[in-house]
Structure formats: C-alpha cells, structure tokens
Amino acid sequence: MATLGLNDVKTGKKILHNGDPWIITEADFVKPGKGQAFTRIRIRNLKDGRTTEQTLKSSDSFEEADVTDTDMQLSFIDGIGKDRVWNFMNMETFEMVPASLAAMGDTWKWLKGEEECVVTLFNGNIVAVQAPKFVELKIVETDPGVRGDTSGGGGKPATLETGAVVRVPLFVNQDEVIKVDTRTGEYDSRVK
C-alpha cells in the first residue's frame, strides 16, 4: 500500500484510518497568518457511514486503502427488514458477494434486482454500493391524477415498487413506470 503525504490528500481518495477504509469527502488547505499551515479534511467511513474531521500537519501521512471499485449485478435479495442481504454477482467470474444494510446505505431504495452497480470491495467484502444514475421503477401508490393537471404546479408523493417515496407531477398516475435520478432522489420523466 502506498503512503499518502499531505500533497496527495485530495477529495475522493480512499485512506486507511484506524484499520478501516475511509473516503475523503472534503479537503481544505489552511494557511493562517501566523503559525504552521495545515490541512483540514472531512472523512467518511466506508463500512458504517460515520463522518469525522481531521486536522493534518505537514508531517502527517496516511496509508492508501486497498479498496477496489468493480461493476457487479444485483442478483437477488434475501431476508426482511434489517436482516436483508443483497447478493451481487461479478459478471466475469460469476462469484456471489453479499452486502449488508450498512454497505447499501440509501442505495437499497433504488434497486429491485438485476441492476448493474459500482461496488466497493475491501478485503473481499462489500463496503459501499453505488446505484446506476437513473432507474426505472413502477409507481405502486399515489393519488389519482385529475384531468387538466399540468407539470407546472406542485407535485404529490408516490410510493415506488421498492418502497422509496418520490415527489412526482400531478399528472403522473399509479401503475406508471417513471425514471428516477438516484443521485438526487427526484423524478426525471415518465417511461413510455
């Protein structure tokens, strides 16, 4: 593993801290008028999602985390509630790797099965899952649309087949398939 010095500490780098993989979400170089310059970073634990801030002096360094990002397909979901396990398949080796709720984060809301996701592996275990940018999901519950409703005003909540709730325009009806942006969790368009 490579050692990262202060110049290598950038947003998006994955580091090893207290034996766990962390990702740098913010990095600010601070040069006060008096005293030594330092870097303040905000890091997020890839295993459990905790965030913390660290202040680094010029002599500090980190080990780069040995994590790999790979494309995997969601095969099936086992269990109910907090005991659910999402099973991902490596499309090249056909190896199955399970992911826990902690590794899934909020991504589970957008996945129903057979989607290709970017999966982060640490020591052979899934620590993070990134959903596709857009998914197509069916609306299972929403208020009925009324003739004359246009996209110009407000919106209404709609429950999707995965259990996620998004705001949709008033003209969108139950049992329609919509396209959702998973990065923002917002309605994008209807699927024809």
Side-chain angles (χ1 to χ4, degrees), residues 58-76:
S58 60
S59 60
D60 291 341
S61 64
F62 281 108
E63 288 291 317
E64 191 168 14
D66 188 19
V67 296
T68 55
D69 290 338
T70 185
D71 291 335
M72 295 183 109
Q73 183 181 32
L74 176 61
S75 259
F76 60 95

Side-chain angles (χ1 to χ4, degrees), residues 152-186:
K156 60 184 178 180
T159 304
L160 305 177
E161 60 188 302
T162 59
V165 177
V166 297
R167 291 201 62 77
V168 297
L170 298 171
F171 61 82
V172 176
N173 295 313
Q174 189 167 317
D175 296 326
E176 286 191 70
V177 178
I178 63 169
K179 189 175 181 181
V180 179
D181 186 339
T182 61
R183 297 165 292 183
T184 61
E186 294 178 356

Side-chain angles (χ1 to χ4, degrees), residues 127-140:
V127 292
V129 177
Q130 183 179 336
K133 291 181 179 151
F134 294 97
V135 292
E136 295 177 359
L137 296 169
K138 183 178 179 180
I139 297 174
V140 294

Side-chain angles (χ1 to χ4, degrees), residues 29-98:
F29 179 74
V30 180
K31 186 171 182 185
K34 192 158 77 162
Q36 287 283 335
F38 61 92
T39 300
R40 184 177 298 123
I41 61 172
R42 179 178 292 276
I43 54 178
R44 180 174 46 87
N45 189 318
L46 290 175
K47 284 186 171 181
D48 59 21
R50 288 180 299 138
T51 60
T52 187
E53 273 192 16
Q54 296 275 315
T55 302
L56 307 175
K57 298 179 286 202
S58 60
S59 60
D60 291 341
S61 64
F62 281 108
E63 288 291 317
E64 191 168 14
D66 188 19
V67 296
T68 55
D69 290 338
T70 185
D71 291 335
M72 295 183 109
Q73 183 181 32
L74 176 61
S75 259
F76 60 95
I77 303 167
D78 274 340
I80 300 172
K82 292 183 179 184
D83 295 330
R84 275 190 290 188
V85 175
W86 290 261
N87 294 284
F88 288 88
M89 180 173 60
N90 184 325
M91 298 304 291
E92 294 170 6
T93 64
F94 302 106
E95 174 189 5
M96 298 294 286
V97 182

